[in-house]
Amino acid sequence: MPLREMFGDVKFVCMGGSAPRMERLAKELASALSIRLPTGMQLAPIGKTERYSLFKVGPIICVNHGMGCPSLSILMHEITKLLRHAQAENVIYIRIGTSGGLGVSPGTVVLTTEALNGLLEPYLEMAILGRRVRRETMIDSDLLSEIEKIGDQFPFAVEKGKTVGTDCFYEGQGRTDGAFHDYSEEDKMEFLRNAASRGVKNIEMEATYFAMFCKHTGIRGVIMCSVLVNRLLSDQIRSTSEELAYYSNTSSQLAIAFIKHHLAQESNPN
Ligand code: R2B
Ligand code: URA
């Protein structure tokens, strides 16, 4: 494929778990940035869609990464190789996701400052060549304050905080409504309160790998996740489907506003 021609202009890669959400985001970005497809053309995924669905609108890739770090890790390696071959420069990676909140209300977008693993430690541990390798998971992006400011225009809250990334949605996140659990409701609340007291605002399943990857490669990356439920109050989502659709879309709205602002600033720096 003529990769340079196809992807050499890329400036942003938006990644999120689900393919339909990423397709919707691509359509919303096209409309927000007034990117018109030639008459009669439809937005379509590029390449195969068995594992990931990738869309491109102007200088933005929108691609889904599935659930958990193993799935995300393959995507991040392959997208990064693709963009290197295409000679794309200064690309910003954005994870746009959903999460369970700690002490923050549904609809809030948490901007991750640092990712913690399920032991509440600030690193990702991987087995590489039969050895344990630990890598840092700080988000040292100068973009967080810019994004926080952009958040002021929205009716939902945008807050910086630490994010726990787990390998398991149920026991790993201290749920008591999975197929089994070997701890009590009190144990669960102690874990969640302990995490909150260390500055954790949300829990999801990809932040550690995403943050590590960006730090290790020097790629500028940010994680913005919508909160679906305040886990300090309940694990059950009691919102209506309309409310839930609104809550899960707040991070996409923030990402669109950020990309628009950033592109406008680049084309008119004064
Ligand atoms: C958020 O939602 C998914 C689990 O339901 C997971 O991918 C995540 O991080
Ligand atoms: N995704 C998660 O991983 N956890 C939640 O509580 C909600 C969404």
Side-chain angles (χ1 to χ4, degrees), residues 66-68 95 98 169 204-206:
M67 286 191 273
R95 164 160 153 69
T98 56
F169 180 82
E204 44 81 280
M205 298 181 68
E206 293 85 15

Side-chain angles (χ1 to χ4, degrees), residues 98-101 166 169 173 175 203-205 228-229 231 237:
T98 56
S99 61
T166 68
F169 180 82
Q173 299 187 11
R175 284 195 162 74
I203 310 181
E204 44 81 280
M205 298 181 68
L228 301 185
V229 61
R231 297 277 321 279
I237 294 180

Side-chain angles (χ1 to χ4, degrees), residues 111-113 139 141-148 160 222:
L111 291 176
T112 303
T113 53
I139 295 282
S141 170
D142 50 339
L143 299 170
L144 292 186
S145 303
E146 179 184 338
I147 299 171
E148 213 181 11
K160 287 195 223 166
V222 289

Side-chain angles (χ1 to χ4, degrees), residues 86-128:
Q87 295 173 29
E89 285 175 354
N90 298 321
V91 183
I92 295 172
Y93 286 9
I94 310 174
R95 164 160 153 69
I96 300 159
T98 56
S99 61
L102 294 184
V104 286
S105 48
T108 300
V109 180
V110 176
L111 291 176
T112 303
T113 53
E114 185 172 35
L116 308 185
N117 63 26
L119 297 169
L120 308 183
E121 297 162 334
Y123 48 79
L124 175 88
E125 189 169 274
M126 282 176 71
I128 301 178

